Amino acid sequence: MTSRLGLSGNTAAAYAVRQLDVDVVPVYPITPSTTIMETLAQYAADGRMDAEIITVESEHSAISAAAAASAAGARTFTSTSSQGLLYMHEVLYVTSGLRLPVVMAVANRAISAPINIWNDQSDVFAERDTGWIQIHAESVQDVYDRMVQAYRIAEDSRVRLPVMVNYDGFVLSHAHGPVTIVADEEVAHFARRVASPFRLDPDSPISLGAIVWPDHYFEVKYQAARALEDSRRVIDEVQNDFRGMTGRKYELLRPYMAEDADFLLLAIGSVCGTIKTAARKMRSEGLKVGLIGLDVYRPFPGKELMRLIGGAKAVGVLDKAFLPGSMAGPAYTDVTSALCRYGVNVPVHDFVAGIGGRDIKVEDVQTMYRVLEKAKDNARFDREIHYVGLRR
Amino acid sequence: MPYRAIKQLPAEEYLAPGHDMCAGCTVPITVRLLTRIAGKNTVVVNATGCLEVSTTPYPRSAWKIPWLHLAFENAAAAGSGVSAAFKVLKRKGLTDKDVKVVVLGGDGGTADIGLQSLSGAFERGDDITYVCYDNEAYMNTGIQRSGTTPFGAWTTTTPPGLLSAGQRTWKKDLMGIVIAHRVKYAATASPSHIIDAANKIEKAFSKGGPAFIHFLQPCVPGWKIDPSLGVKIARLAVQSGLWPLYEYEDGSVRTTVQVAKRVPVVEYFKLQGRFKHLMNRPEELTLIQNYADGLAAKHGYGPLVPASQ
């Protein structure tokens, strides 16, 4: 039995959390993720969800309590945005380093200063390398579906890593969209629990979080990094099973009119919707453009990406985040390192746009495609970032 | 039935010998006592610090009960997470155990960097017993002052010099802060007064809500003391009035160990290298003696009896 509801990204995430029989939810309010915790608190108050909601005093404690509850064998969820995610920074590493399958929803938002509550992806990119599996949603449906998939991935014995489900603040967290819901019992079956042998159990005591000296540290960190790399196989399996259950297809990457495209944009999140509109427009004008949504960002699907962009004449990477002083946006650095690693020779350009809630309009995307078209015969790489929609 | 003798304490040990704590360290006394009373169905959450690094050098561990360490400032929050997890897992039939959650942090991890998460856990009424082992400075990093370092003490960041007599601030009133949260139970304790401490631990576990025990822990390198004198020095701290033993329960404070004849603070200080520079600084000594007199009066201690010559 499926049903269709009108939900915001936040309420869709909360709806999934309820269906997933989550045990412990430590949360702290921050715009624009707050309505997730409000919804969960109401579920608990109404007896619709049997979970311990811990209204902690900070995001640092939210992720700490989440990691600890997970260590005790509980299925654990938290959510945050922006400064809250940054405040969690050190414990994000602890969570992945201890292989704790926490799931966190992040409604992406710009970071201070200047303070700004609107969307970009600077927050998640600041935490890109914390060892978490990082998945991005393009629509409210994606938010729900990725949440349903998340614990299956996180708790798999081959993975045992935390999962971050990202979606653009306000654009997806607050805007309502139609969401096809999976029945409670189907979700329960799909995401059934796997008891971890590595939990705080008085009958089989373990020490978790020991100090590891130079003779073992490298190996322990390598194992976690290896598990993150290899998680793509499990993500594939879970996506396939999910497709079997719902008919909805998810992959590490989301190509759109990419197969024969001369000019490809790579982008993350809700802006893909705008890009598709622009792409259709430009296709009708005869320009062969396409899009690849970078849905699963960690582990970075470099190999799969190279297969998809090999035939393009020029590629543009749209970054909704800065890496000040690095000469590039963050996704650009990952894409270019994949190009070098796999020896793919395609000109690649970097667009930074949509910062701090600045709209990316269809015309902005058309501008990006035109840059690619114009630049295709020139140097392989631009010398500069293209800031689109910036006044200067 | 309160404990009256050491031989009445549960015998089963949960901190194995062979750990790397310093010879003469008083912290294992506290931990052994705590875990013997807590028993098997206990999870220990440890803040970063001496105890954490010295008991778990991977792949070895001294802990015979489940033990968790996440970071420095979040032990109370981690305790809340473990406590909530067992509560809900039991409700859902996924465990059949009632698990005690014991959080252990040093003075830095509790009163300074960890104060926020401690406050959160206590204010929420989470079911944890938090034990602060207070050795009065950041000992694990090599003896830097903390908020609980006593007035006048040498540390590497409060060195006595031409312009300084050591730590210039008074020990943070951590018990006062904890009591302000209206926890179910709070107490001070000392490794010199084992039965007093044992009964406080037992009480803390019986409350079903946030409980706090604040242990004073003489530290061999940090206090510059003879490794054989830790317990004696802890006793002198009590007898001088600088470390009164009391408990907070049902809204009121009760002194649990009376001192009929107080010893001057200098008797406590002279066994410790960290106060050596004060021996020829009578002004500071007078200030500290007055401070101890005030604490003693609050707890109804007897008169000061100068050391016999």
Side-chain angles (χ1 to χ4, degrees), chain A residues 143-163:
Chain A
V143 174
Y144 173 77
D145 289 348
R146 290 303 198 178
M147 281 298 304
V148 170
Q149 297 165 23
Y151 286 106
R152 271 280 300 274
I153 299 165
E155 294 169 358
D156 190 289
S157 62
R158 294 163 291 174
V159 179
R160 300 280 310 162
L161 285 169
V163 173

Side-chain angles (χ1 to χ4, degrees), chain A residues 334-354:
Chain A
D334 280 318
V335 171
T336 50
S337 70
L339 287 166
C340 290
R341 188 168 292 265
Y342 292 99
V344 176
N345 194 7
V346 179
V348 57
H349 303 269
D350 193 8
F351 301 101
V352 169

Side-chain angles (χ1 to χ4, degrees), chain B residues 174-190:
Chain B
L174 182 56
M175 279 292 284
I177 294 168
V178 169
I179 290 168
H181 287 75
R182 296 185 288 263
V183 293
K184 293 264 176 71
Y185 184 76
T188 59
S190 167

Side-chain angles (χ1 to χ4, degrees), chain A residues 23 50 52 64 90 203 207, chain B residues 40 61 73 91-92 97:
Chain A
D23 302 314
D50 188 6
E52 286 293 312
S64 301
E90 68 157 341
D203 286 339
S207 296
Chain B
K40 175 177 172 283
S61 172
E73 70 282 55
R91 201 161 66 220
K92 292 184 178 180
K97 288 191 183 60

Side-chain angles (χ1 to χ4, degrees), chain B residues 148-224:
Chain B
T148 73
T149 301
F151 183 90
W154 161 88
T155 70
T156 58
T157 50
T158 55
L162 207 54
L163 305 176
S164 171
Q167 170 92 337
R168 301 309 295 168
T169 52
W170 296 88
K171 191 173 175 71
K172 187 187 282 194
D173 181 12
L174 182 56
M175 279 292 284
I177 294 168
V178 169
I179 290 168
H181 287 75
R182 296 185 288 263
V183 293
K184 293 264 176 71
Y185 184 76
T188 59
S190 167
S192 59
H193 291 69
I194 289 292
I195 297 302
D196 177 69
N199 286 312
K200 287 171 173 170
I201 294 165
E202 185 83 28
K203 255 190 193 176
F205 289 144
S206 74
K207 295 290 179 180
F212 179 77
I213 304 179
H214 190 175
F215 272 88
L216 185 71
Q217 307 281 180
C219 167
V220 172
W223 292 19
K224 297 186 174 182

Side-chain angles (χ1 to χ4, degrees), chain A residues 158 226 229-238 252 299:
Chain A
R158 294 163 291 174
R226 190 75 250 169
E229 271 302 314
D230 293 346
S231 69
R232 69 189 72 221
R233 258 177 266 147
V234 175
I235 297 170
D236 272 335
E237 285 173 23
V238 172
L252 302 177

